[in-house]
Structures are given as C-alpha cells and as structure tokens.
Amino acid sequence: MVQYPGVAKGLYVASSSGKPALSKVKVLERNAQGNCMLVEVEIQSGRPHQIRIHLSFIGHPLIGDPLYVSGGKSKCSDPEVGGGSFTEDGGYRRPVNPVPGDCGYILHAHQLVLSHPTRSKVVKITAPLPSVLQTREETREIKLGAGDDGKVNF
C-alpha cells in the first residue's frame, strides 16, 4: 500500500509483501489495430483492485484506468495525470488526483458464484454484459436475435 492523495488508507499496489491473490485471465478477443484486448478474468481471492493491479502488473492495464500503470504501480508519481483533458464519456474533467470510483475504465462483474452463508448452497448471479464488453460473436448473435432469451439470472 502506498500513500495517495484523496485515499485515506492509501492505494493498493503489486508487492511481494502483499497478501496472496490469484487471477485467471482468458483472452476473448484481440484488437491489434487498437492495441487492446477483451479478457475474461476469474478471481479466486477478491482483494481490493485485484483485477486492475494484476492486469497492470503483467503489462496490460485497463484502458482509461485513472490509478494503475504497467507494473502494478499507481500513477500518483506521474506528473501527466490530471492534465486538463476531458474524458470522452460525457465531458467530465478528470480529477488531478483520481481516486477509486472515478470514471474512465470499463470493468464489469458479469458473474458471481458464492456459497450461501446459511443454506449450504451455491448461489450464481449473472448480469448481462454491456455492449462494449461483448465479443463480436455475441454482438452478432444479439443482432440476429439468437442467444438472447431476455432473462437475467439472479
């Protein structure tokens, strides 16, 4: 954890002295022209900012992430953060020292699988993917009306 303006307890970063955490990453699509990819991440632990830190640590930070850069480190030492440019999602000015929860990146909990605390049953919660996080094949299926039964599983 490192000190970070606006975050009382500090910001989590990749560290050999940190608690163990496991993230399984599967590449769903690659966009060589855009130098980006769509991935599915399954986490086994659930540490704060785990997905963001692990992906940035291996050199693939989330596009638009206001906090983490390659290497799993925070941007707090980067003088370019908070330049004065507007984001492309509604004209909000990026804060000089962004804090967790600020807009700028796309991350979605598509499916959660939990053990019910009292019933000893597995609970599976699924939320539909926003269009920006769908693969080309999923987008094609939705346009054709296949694979979309209109149900949300809770």
Side-chain angles (χ1 to χ4, degrees):
M1 185 142 2
V2 297
Q3 293 301 311
Y4 192 85
V7 181
K9 294 183 180 180
L11 187 66
Y12 292 92
V13 294
S15 167
S16 59
S17 63
K19 293 181 180 179
L22 176 65
S23 297
K24 296 179 182 179
V25 180
K26 177 182 174 184
V27 176
L28 301 177
E29 281 187 355
R30 295 179 193 274
N31 179 340
Q33 291 174 327
N35 192 28
C36 61
M37 64 183 97
L38 179 63
V39 297
E40 174 180 289
V41 182
E42 179 184 334
I43 60 174
Q44 301 295 312
S45 31
R47 306 279 182 229
H49 301 203
Q50 179 175 330
I51 294 170
R52 296 166 70 187
I53 293 169
H54 283 182
L55 288 176
S56 70
F57 184 77
I58 62 171
H60 300 285
L62 297 178
I63 294 172
D65 190 334
L67 294 178
Y68 297 100
V69 296
S70 289
K73 303 299 178 195
S74 72
K75 287 185 178 180
C76 63
S77 60
D78 186 348
E80 296 297 314
V81 173
S85 62
F86 285 87
T87 63
E88 295 177 14
D89 60 353
Y92 295 100
R93 186 174 297 278
R94 288 190 187 271
V96 173
N97 294 306
V99 296
D102 285 345
C103 64
Y105 61 93
I106 302 168
L107 188 61
H108 177 73
H110 174 57
Q111 191 171 85
L112 299 173
V113 180
L114 313 161
S115 297
H116 192 281
T118 59
R119 296 185 180 172
S120 300
K121 290 186 177 185
V122 173
V123 177
K124 184 175 171 181
I125 303 167
T126 303
L129 288 170
S131 60
V132 70
L133 291 177
Q134 294 170 354
T135 63
R136 286 185 287 272
E137 181 62 29
E138 289 167 330
T139 301
R140 219 176 356 261
E141 287 176 2
I142 289 170
K143 285 181 181 177
L144 295 173
D148 183 11
D149 58 9
K151 295 180 183 175
V152 178
N153 301 318
F154 287 101

